[in-house]
Amino acid sequence: MFDKCNNKKTNNLSKKNRFKTVIITGTPGTGKTMIAKKLSKIVKFNVINVNDSIKKNKLSEGYDKKRKCIIVDVKKLNKAIIKIINNCKKNCCCSGLIIESHLSHNLPKNYVDLCIVTKCNLKELKKRLIKRGYNAEKVRENLDSEIFDICLVEATEKGHKCIVMDTTTPIKVSAKLGKIANLIKKFK
């Protein structure tokens, strides 16, 4: 995964093939990283894993012991990601970026061409979260987030063009990835 674009300039970005940014958001455990990796291979975009960027750029404001997670200032995070986006656009180092995180939908809509919201069957999501070692309280919190469509609601409120992707089974994922890739290629 990339925290920034490679610095090789490419001059193959015509008006038809302008730089594009795709964000992938969703409740933890719904398959954002998997979708980002697979989609990046199809559309040849670099991937930014926001959690890696938070660590690398020291954007953590501390640790919440009760919830067992880092505390992130979303405004600072957005500034750091926007800087990466602008650097990539300026240097023509890639044709686009895929930014994946349950926080990615907080980016302003003018930096985003498409928002993919990953969803998952609750039984499957619970299995995935337990496999990650989440405690019962954290599993419940994330299941509630999925039930109430928190990421989708927040992304919609921010004005993002959203596509919902069910990641419960690999068959559904494979079928939809090709359609999404074609959609991304058609963006002007």
Side-chain angles (χ1 to χ4, degrees), residues 1-186:
M1 299 276 178
F2 299 92
D3 186 37
K4 59 184 179 181
C5 279
N6 57 40
N7 288 322
K8 296 177 185 172
K9 280 197 173 193
T10 56
N11 293 319
N12 61 351
L13 289 179
S14 65
K15 286 183 180 178
K16 184 180 177 187
N17 295 323
R18 71 167 177 78
F19 184 90
K20 298 167 189 141
T21 303
V22 175
I23 58 174
I24 302 177
T25 190
T27 303
T30 56
K32 296 175 297 295
T33 303
M34 181 249 324
I35 296 300
K37 287 177 182 178
K38 289 184 176 194
L39 187 60
S40 73
K41 287 179 183 175
I42 298 169
V43 295
K44 308 288 190 249
F45 286 8
N46 287 353
V47 176
I48 295 177
N49 177 296
V50 174
N51 291 334
D52 292 345
S53 292
I54 290 168
K55 291 172 191 165
K56 185 173 182 177
N57 295 301
K58 298 177 182 161
L59 297 172
S60 171
E61 303 261 314
Y63 189 78
D64 183 331
K65 291 178 184 175
K66 183 180 178 194
R67 297 173 71 209
K68 296 186 178 181
C69 64
I70 59 172
I71 301 165
V72 178
D73 181 326
V74 174
K75 287 182 182 178
K76 286 182 183 176
L77 176 62
N78 282 346
K79 282 183 183 179
I81 294 172
I82 289 168
K83 187 176 177 181
I84 294 168
I85 292 169
N86 288 336
N87 181 49
C88 290
K89 284 181 180 180
K90 179 181 163 192
N91 294 317
C92 297
C93 57
C94 57
S95 55
L97 288 175
I98 296 173
I99 301 168
E100 64 99 358
S101 166
H102 70 285
L103 300 171
S104 64
H105 62 271
N106 289 300
L107 276 170
K109 71 177 182 177
N110 55 313
Y111 289 94
V112 178
D113 294 290
L114 179 66
C115 175
I116 299 169
V117 181
T118 55
K119 301 271 305 151
C120 183
N121 170 285
L122 293 175
K123 286 181 183 177
E124 177 62 27
L125 180 58
K126 185 175 181 179
K127 281 190 240 175
R128 292 177 188 179
L129 296 174
I130 290 169
K131 187 175 178 181
R132 288 182 174 194
Y134 285 19
N135 64 32
E137 189 176 343
K138 194 163 182 171
V139 169
R140 180 76 258 157
E141 180 182 4
N142 283 291
L143 289 173
D144 288 347
S145 178
E146 186 71 356
I147 290 166
F148 294 111
D149 280 330
I150 300 299
C151 291
L152 177 60
V153 169
E154 289 178 357
T156 304
E157 287 174 351
K158 291 272 186 192
H160 293 300
K161 298 173 196 165
C162 296
I163 292 178
V164 176
M165 184 167 202
D166 185 342
T167 63
T168 305
T169 63
I171 295 169
K172 289 182 181 180
V173 170
S174 296
K176 195 139 189 187
L177 273 177
K179 291 176 184 177
I180 291 172
N182 287 331
L183 179 65
I184 292 168
K185 290 173 186 173
K186 291 177 184 176

